[in-house]
Amino acid sequence: MSTPWHILGAGSLGTLWATRLARAGVPVRLILRNQARLASYRASQGLTLVERGVEQTYPVIGETPDSPEPIRRLLVACKAYDAQSAIAQLQHRLAPDAELILLQNGLGSQDAVAAQWPSARCIFASSTEGAFRDGDWRVVFAGHGYTWLGDASHPTPPLWLDDLQAAGIPHEWATDILTRLWRKLALNCAINPLTVLYHCRNGGLSAHHCEVATLCAELAELLERCGQPAGAQDLHSEVERVIQATAANYSSMYQDVANARRTEISYLLGYACQAAARHQLAVPHLQQVHARLVAHLLARGLASD
């Protein structure tokens, strides 16, 4: 019997991974916040994946943090600001050599988790897969993307990549995972905050070309200073390509604000501004966008951290 995948976070990506792994016959356990959420989940009789208009429900086993089974492999698919506290609830169940696959946006939360659980193997992931929830326990697969996984301190790929292959999850083991995470951080910092401030889809940023270019120049210099020259290469060109390719989409930060949810500002713009300060690098435009975004969130009664 292969090691079960315990999945923490029943959002879009957590549900997408759970359903595809279950479809491939891989054992999956969905960890839910409390007994009330577990009862709601059991009433739904499983997780539903909608793909190309066809929906299929998979009876993934649900459990709460106090279930007795030890956890050897944990996919952490919650928001960056929840990662540490969510894993802490499972502290008593983590095997000494547990593997934690961290699917968080931005940077900062991964290092915090790795520092808190030094005996666990922490695998960082960066995903471009598109999915959204259209109801409780349902996910719509919105677009083919890719997931890069890597372990900056241990480059040998894990055997369970075979599970992802079987599940049809497009992936690659990346020895340069930190470069990929920095690159994605820069893309998110150049696009997401501006879509919130200008209240537009990604494509609406074509009307703010100069501002995007200025942010990209500062972000590229920041990546260079942080030892990530490959991540800085042709950054502005890629940002423009992403804006065009996803023109009809609303960014994840836009959706968070529209739904009055906490954003991951601290792990995106906040992290970038702090890194610049550590390196004594002037990033006036990044700081200005950060300040505007904080004011925007506070005016709507939302957390600004």
Side-chain angles (χ1 to χ4, degrees):
M1 183 70 172
S2 60
T3 301
W5 285 75
H6 284 83
I7 296 189
L8 183 60
S12 52
L13 276 184
T15 305
L16 184 63
W17 278 55
T19 51
R20 289 186 296 184
L21 287 164
R23 180 174 63 189
V26 176
V28 180
R29 308 283 184 271
L30 184 67
I31 302 173
L32 300 158
R33 197 178 308 125
N34 50 39
Q35 287 293 338
R37 286 298 281 165
L38 181 59
S40 165
Y41 174 63
R42 285 178 173 160
S44 74
Q45 300 186 319
L47 295 174
T48 298
L49 172 64
V50 183
E51 195 170 6
R52 298 187 196 92
V54 178
E55 56 181 74
Q56 179 74 45
T57 299
Y58 299 92
V60 172
I61 295 170
E63 57 183 48
T64 58
D66 54 11
S67 295
E69 185 184 355
I71 295 172
R72 293 185 171 81
R73 183 175 306 140
L74 181 67
L75 177 73
V76 184
C78 53
K79 293 283 195 178
Y81 48 74
D82 280 334
Q84 269 182 284
S85 58
I87 299 169
Q89 288 190 304
L90 304 170
Q91 174 98 37
H92 61 291
R93 296 179 57 190
L94 292 177
D97 57 348
E99 296 169 302
L100 308 177
I101 299 100
L102 305 175
L103 258 180
Q104 282 59 58
N105 265 334
L107 282 165
S109 65
Q110 300 92 340
D111 286 340
V113 167
Q116 196 163 340
W117 288 278
S119 68
R121 184 181 188 187
C122 289
I123 289 168
F124 300 173
S126 176
S127 180
T128 61
E129 290 209 284
F132 63 91
R133 293 167 64 209
D134 69 344
D136 239 4
W137 321 118
R138 291 170 54 87
V139 67
V140 179
F141 188 29
H144 291 277
Y146 216 76
T147 300
W148 287 270
L149 304 110
D151 180 346
S153 60
H154 190 231
T156 309
L159 296 175
W160 49 254
L161 292 180
D162 289 348
D163 286 352
L164 305 191
Q165 192 73 34
I169 297 172
H171 67 281
E172 182 182 315
W173 183 254
T175 52
D176 61 346
I177 190 64
L178 288 178
T179 296
R180 295 199 175 273
L181 288 170
W182 272 102
R183 177 76 161 192
K184 191 172 181 210
L185 173 96
L187 288 167
N188 283 337
C189 284
I191 294 172
N192 292 17
L194 294 182
T195 64
V196 173
L197 294 171
Y198 293 116
H199 199 68
C200 66
R201 297 174 194 262
N202 291 355
L205 296 185
S206 298
H208 304 280
H209 180 80
C210 290
E211 194 167 1
V212 171
T214 304
L215 290 179
C216 286
E218 289 189 354
L219 286 160
E221 193 176 354
L222 174 62
L223 265 62
E224 291 266 6
R225 191 71 67 91
C226 292
Q228 299 296 338
Q233 201 168 354
D234 298 323
L235 178 63
H236 184 218
S237 301
E238 186 168 357
V239 166
E240 291 293 342
R241 184 189 62 74
V242 170
I243 287 170
Q244 296 307 317
T246 63
N249 296 3
Y250 287 108
S251 75
S252 56
M253 187 178 279
Y254 179 101
Q255 292 177 59
D256 283 340
V257 174
N259 290 293
R261 291 191 300 252
R262 184 178 173 185
T263 70
E264 292 173 300
I265 179 175
S266 294
Y267 302 90
L268 296 168
L269 268 179
Y271 188 90
C273 289
Q274 285 173 0
R278 279 199 307 276
H279 289 277
Q280 297 182 314
L281 175 67
V283 286
H285 295 90
L286 270 175
Q287 288 175 326
Q288 184 193 51
V289 169
H290 183 252
R292 285 164 62 199
L293 184 58
V294 166
H296 184 90
L297 296 174
L298 290 174
R300 279 152 186 75
L302 296 176
S304 61
D305 60 358

